[in-house]
Amino acid sequence: MVINWGATAVYNTIMSVSVGVALLSIVNFFSHLNSNKIGHIEGWAIGFGIPGFILTITGLHMTLTWPLSKMGFAFDDIIFGESSLAFGVLLLAITVLLWRKANLYLKQGIDMNDTTVVSEKLKKELPSLLKPLSFFAAAMGFALIAMGCAGVTFRLFAAPPQEPISGLFAAYPMIEATFMSILLALTGVGAILFAVNQKEKPNLGLVKFNRSAWVITGIIWTAFGIMNYFTHIGLIVHTMK
């Protein structure tokens, strides 16, 4: 297997890390919020903005140019490109909302070091702020579940044998197909629950399940992306002209 890497773009390494870190950041943000520990909102806004920017530009490029089609993995351009673009734009929207809210609190003379006051105000205002975004988040959550179903149905995501670690399962495509499909679907379930939970008094059971789903998937996406920095470099070395 020989690949012309000069004409093929593969960057789902940083995309995977960005998705994982963003999911964990959302969980961490709401954990701090419920504990009245949110103070300087600008830092959280930037924390969401960094992965949001990365996912938007890489997802947009993958969505519009289909770089993975040159390797015979055109379906990955849809699965990873479009979902990353959607998540990136949502993260940037949250960044803008939190940044504007921080500026408003400062104009109102609120001490941003008083985490109790800031957190209590955000608890009351965030559901109405995030609810309009939650409709798109829920729709993409169902889309992720559909992608997971497609992964199992058509046995997608199998790595070529030239790729280190992941390539060991090349002869058993259902292993990686099942792993990636469950990961996508569980991330999607979390997105749907996030939308459902945008109310003043959400169901605590659903909140806990949402948190667990995104902690698990966030850790896996991050670890998977970090691992791919080794495996994808190895794939390039093994398949260069």
Side-chain angles (χ1 to χ4, degrees), residues 7-241:
T8 305
V10 178
Y11 35 69
N12 50 9
T13 42
I14 195 167
M15 294 168 85
S16 180
V17 170
S18 297
V19 168
V21 169
L23 291 175
L24 294 174
S25 295
I26 293 173
V27 172
N28 198 26
F29 174 80
F30 279 96
S31 177
H32 277 66
L33 184 64
N34 292 329
S35 300
N36 288 339
K37 294 180 180 179
I38 294 293
H40 294 278
I41 311 174
E42 306 97 315
W44 288 100
I46 296 298
F48 293 131
I50 291 173
F53 176 74
I54 292 171
L55 290 171
T56 298
I57 59 174
T58 54
L60 181 63
H61 181 262
M62 187 176 284
T63 298
L64 297 180
T65 66
W66 280 39
L68 297 178
S69 61
K70 300 178 179 66
M71 297 175 58
F73 303 118
F75 53 85
D76 279 342
D77 291 308
I78 296 175
I79 294 172
F80 296 116
E82 295 190 17
S83 60
S84 293
L85 174 59
F87 192 23
V89 172
L90 285 170
L91 287 170
L92 291 181
I94 293 173
T95 298
V96 172
L97 289 174
L98 290 179
W99 191 270
R100 287 175 60 86
K101 187 58 63 177
N103 288 335
L104 178 61
Y105 287 175
L106 287 172
K107 290 179 181 179
Q108 293 176 343
I110 295 175
D111 182 5
M112 302 302 283
N113 290 311
D114 192 337
T115 59
T116 299
V117 172
V118 174
S119 297
E120 289 297 332
K121 285 184 68 66
L122 276 178
K123 285 179 191 177
K124 294 178 181 179
E125 298 172 359
L126 271 183
S128 60
L129 279 175
L130 297 179
K131 195 171 186 62
L133 303 179
S134 67
F135 300 122
F136 184 54
M140 287 308 301
F142 284 108
L144 287 171
I145 294 174
M147 293 174 197
C149 293
V152 173
T153 302
F154 305 113
R155 293 200 219 182
L156 308 180
F157 311 120
Q162 292 84 359
E163 182 173 339
I165 302 177
S166 301
L168 296 174
F169 304 101
Y172 311 98
M174 280 305 296
I175 292 179
E176 191 153 10
T178 302
F179 168 74
M180 289 300 302
S181 295
I182 291 175
L183 183 58
L184 286 166
L186 187 56
T187 306
V189 170
I192 296 169
L193 292 178
F194 181 80
V196 172
N197 290 331
Q198 295 313 308
K199 56 181 84 171
E200 287 189 19
K201 294 182 179 180
N203 183 287
L204 292 181
L206 293 180
V207 170
K208 289 180 180 179
F209 190 84
N210 189 178
R211 183 186 301 120
S212 298
W214 275 359
V215 166
I216 293 171
T217 55
I219 291 173
I220 294 176
W221 281 119
T222 304
F224 191 64
I226 291 171
M227 182 190 74
N228 281 345
Y229 274 104
F230 171 76
T231 62
H232 284 193
I233 290 172
L235 176 63
I236 292 171
V237 170
H238 291 160
T239 57
M240 287 190 303
K241 288 185 178 180

